[in-house]
Amino acid sequence: MSNDKIRIAVFVSGGGTNLQALIDKQKSGVINSGEICLVISNNPNAYALERAKKAGIKTEIVSRKEYADQREFENKLISLIKENGIELIVLAGFMCILSERFTSKYPKRIINVHPSLIPSFCGKGFYGLNVHRAALDYGVKVTGATVHFVNEIPDGGEIIMQKAVEVKDGDTPEVLQKRVMVNAEWIILPQAVEKVSRQMLDKD
Ligand code: GAR
């Protein structure tokens, strides 16, 4: 498809601070090769939906429990992606696992942000604050964030960008989470989205 900009959908579940970083970086021009056209939340109460509405971005709610099984849930996501001409999917705090049937439809077209330096503290069960709790329990002195392509292995796809963040004495999971967001996630997620969108445009 030849386009001015790559059409992006952002999948969210919660607060949406990473979505906000994407919106802000689109406004400031860091993201220039892609455009956020749709935000999908599995959680009807996600604050991320308010952020999208404030920015004038179309929103959809696709709640897993409204569908008989994973296949039906993903079929709804697939139909929204088609209807909206979406070319790149960004998982920004999306707390649902997507099946291989879904991920294999979009090779190198799904990006995820994870709050650790993969391959540490990742895979099944490692999401949100759990990741930072595990890093503190282990006693690592450096952690960070990773942006990667999504494939059938949870947190196992090709790495696009990483950024390290220092762990400090006395950190709680909440304090560490905030430092990783501010100093890593909110910076590298928009950069990676621009990088992949640019590469997609150049291939057209
Ligand atoms: C972020 O820290 C993101 O990296 C993490 O959830 C948080 C969502 O915050 N994602 C995962 O743990 C995925 N495995 P946000 O809704 O404010 O962007």
Side-chain angles (χ1 to χ4, degrees):
M1 200 190 282
S2 102
N3 257 343
D4 283 356
K5 295 197 187 223
I6 297 299
R7 293 180 62 80
I8 298 169
V10 184
F11 288 16
V12 296
S13 299
T17 64
N18 279 288
L19 169 67
Q20 191 65 55
L22 292 169
I23 292 169
D24 293 347
K25 294 295 169 68
Q26 183 170 291
K27 275 194 194 129
S28 69
V30 171
I31 298 176
N32 181 43
S33 305
E35 185 182 359
I36 306 164
C37 299
L38 178 65
V39 169
I40 300 181
S41 177
N42 65 307
N43 169 11
N45 301 316
Y47 185 67
L49 290 166
E50 303 309 314
R51 296 181 189 273
K53 283 177 199 155
K54 252 185 223 161
I57 301 166
K58 180 176 174 182
T59 59
E60 294 278 359
I61 295 163
V62 185
S63 176
R64 171 68 183 81
K65 58 178 187 289
E66 305 282 320
Y67 296 86
D69 53 24
Q70 182 74 11
R71 195 184 174 88
E72 290 301 310
F73 169 65
E74 291 181 353
N75 282 348
K76 178 64 186 177
L77 296 174
I78 292 164
S79 68
L80 286 173
I81 290 162
K82 272 194 202 143
E83 278 165 28
N84 289 279
I86 299 303
E87 301 165 284
L88 182 64
I89 298 163
V90 180
L91 309 184
F94 186 60
M95 298 304 177
C96 297
I97 297 277
L98 295 164
S99 75
E100 180 169 5
R101 172 176 165 265
F102 184 93
T103 58
S104 64
K105 270 189 202 296
Y106 309 105
K108 292 216 178 177
R109 295 293 177 264
I110 313 175
I111 290 175
N112 180 47
V113 61
H114 182 79
S116 74
L117 294 174
I118 290 175
S120 289
F121 313 117
C122 64
K124 211 166 172 269
F126 287 100
Y127 57 86
L129 278 174
N130 291 346
V131 179
H132 302 292
R133 234 172 254 128
L136 291 173
D137 285 350
Y138 198 97
V140 293
K141 301 300 175 204
V142 175
T143 184
T146 303
V147 179
H148 62 94
F149 286 118
V150 173
N151 64 9
E152 71 286 0
I153 304 157
D155 298 323
E158 185 188 322
I159 290 172
I160 305 165
M161 281 188 189
Q162 288 189 303
K163 195 162 184 291
V165 172
E166 190 190 351
V167 179
K168 295 188 180 167
D169 287 349
D171 271 353
T172 61
E174 290 79 7
V175 167
L176 185 56
Q177 178 183 52
K178 187 72 194 284
R179 191 178 311 119
V180 169
M181 284 176 155
V182 173
N183 295 300
E185 294 184 56
W186 300 346
I187 298 168
I188 62 172
L189 182 62
Q191 286 176 348
V193 166
E194 173 57 20
K195 183 178 179 194
V196 173
S197 301
R198 183 75 252 157
Q199 283 168 351
M200 288 171 68
L201 282 182
D202 288 346
K203 263 192 212 148
D204 277 355

